[in-house]
Amino acid sequence: MRNLISFSIAGSLMTILFLGIVNYTTSPQKIWFIYPCLLLLLWPITLYFMSKKMYKQYSLICSAMIIAFLIIENYLYSPDYLWFIYAVYPIIWWPILMYLEEKAKTLKIALIGCATTIIYYSLLNIILSHPYPWAIYPAFLVIWWPLALYHAQRKTFVAFSVTSTILISIFFITVNVVSSPEVIWAIYPIFVVLWWPLSMYFYVYKRKMYNSTTLPKRI
């Protein structure tokens, strides 16, 4: 493994140097060699940390590298608009969840993560791009984290289908109202999703009926 790591380091550095020279000699007006550099650096880093089973440290280093790459990319090509702050937040959660270990699977952490995500993107929406409430999209996605975890722990799958259907319906109605209130299109996806709890209910009901008729009765 040591020889493989040494080979990956040498190969990465040689390739980065080669691409840097090609970039400088052929198209110095655009710094494009930084894109493959990120992947090339991850090669020896991944081999090293995986061989040492240092998964927490690996997540921390990789997150820092990706964030640094996004900041450089933002600074080089669009310094007038700080778009990297949208992508940084979910990347930060990778090492956070790794260091939390078993606590990351708890409902408490899911609720905290859900709440902070909604607050973070809502503030960005209000401060940087107020006219359209795009924060409803990441909010809709992150709510599934505590919702799915709650019902999975209790194995309440029928209740999960009902709650999920309500959530999806609210989401489509909200998007319909804020995006195109002149056309009522939300009824179409809502009609489709209504079949989910309906099918779950009849599946459970049919299974109970089957078990009651096939299981031997006690005298």
Side-chain angles (χ1 to χ4, degrees):
M1 179 58 72
R2 182 178 298 177
N3 292 334
L4 183 59
I5 294 174
S6 300
F7 172 76
S8 66
I9 294 173
S12 297
L13 293 177
M14 288 176 59
T15 307
I16 291 172
L17 180 62
F18 171 75
L19 293 175
I21 294 173
V22 173
N23 189 174
Y24 179 75
T25 55
T26 59
S27 53
Q29 68 278 3
K30 183 176 176 60
I31 306 174
W32 53 260
F33 84 100
I34 60 174
Y35 301 106
C37 282
L38 178 64
L39 297 177
L40 289 168
L41 289 173
L42 286 175
W43 178 21
I45 289 173
T46 301
L47 288 176
Y48 175 77
F49 282 101
M50 292 298 104
S51 64
K52 300 293 184 180
K53 296 183 178 180
M54 301 169 63
Y55 306 118
K56 298 177 185 177
Q57 294 83 349
Y58 175 72
S59 66
L60 188 62
I61 295 296
C62 289
S63 298
M65 288 178 58
I66 295 171
I67 291 172
F69 172 79
L70 293 175
I71 293 174
I72 294 172
E73 177 73 8
N74 193 168
Y75 175 76
L76 289 176
Y77 298 108
S78 52
D80 297 332
Y81 187 73
L82 301 178
W83 54 261
F84 78 92
I85 58 178
Y86 297 96
V88 164
Y89 178 81
I91 297 172
I92 291 175
W93 271 96
W94 179 18
I96 290 176
L97 293 176
M98 289 296 295
Y99 276 92
L100 286 174
E101 296 182 340
E102 290 299 319
K103 292 181 180 179
K105 302 177 183 178
T106 61
L107 183 60
K108 179 181 178 181
I109 296 299
L111 290 171
I112 293 174
C114 178
T116 54
T117 302
I118 293 174
I119 293 171
Y120 180 80
Y121 284 108
S122 296
L123 289 175
L124 290 181
N125 193 172
I126 295 170
I127 297 171
L128 300 179
S129 51
H130 179 65
Y132 184 78
W134 55 262
I136 58 178
Y137 300 103
F140 170 71
L141 293 176
V142 78
I143 286 174
W144 288 94
W145 180 12
L147 180 65
L149 185 61
Y150 174 82
H151 288 287
Q153 290 177 346
R154 289 158 179 76
K155 297 182 179 180
T156 52
F157 304 113
V158 176
F160 174 65
S161 65
V162 174
T163 309
S164 301
T165 300
I166 295 172
L167 174 62
I168 294 171
S169 300
I170 293 173
F171 170 73
F172 279 116
I173 291 172
T174 305
V175 174
N176 193 167
V177 171
V178 300
S179 300
S180 50
E182 66 280 358
V183 180
I184 305 176
W185 53 262
I187 57 175
Y188 303 110
I190 291 174
F191 173 76
V192 174
V193 81
L194 284 174
W195 286 92
W196 181 11
L198 187 63
S199 60
M200 288 291 295
Y201 172 77
F202 279 102
Y203 169 75
V204 173
Y205 176 76
K206 185 177 181 180
R207 187 176 61 176
K208 288 182 179 179
M209 291 293 294
Y210 176 78
N211 291 336
S212 63
T213 56
T214 56
L215 291 177
K217 296 181 179 180
R218 293 183 179 180
I219 303 176

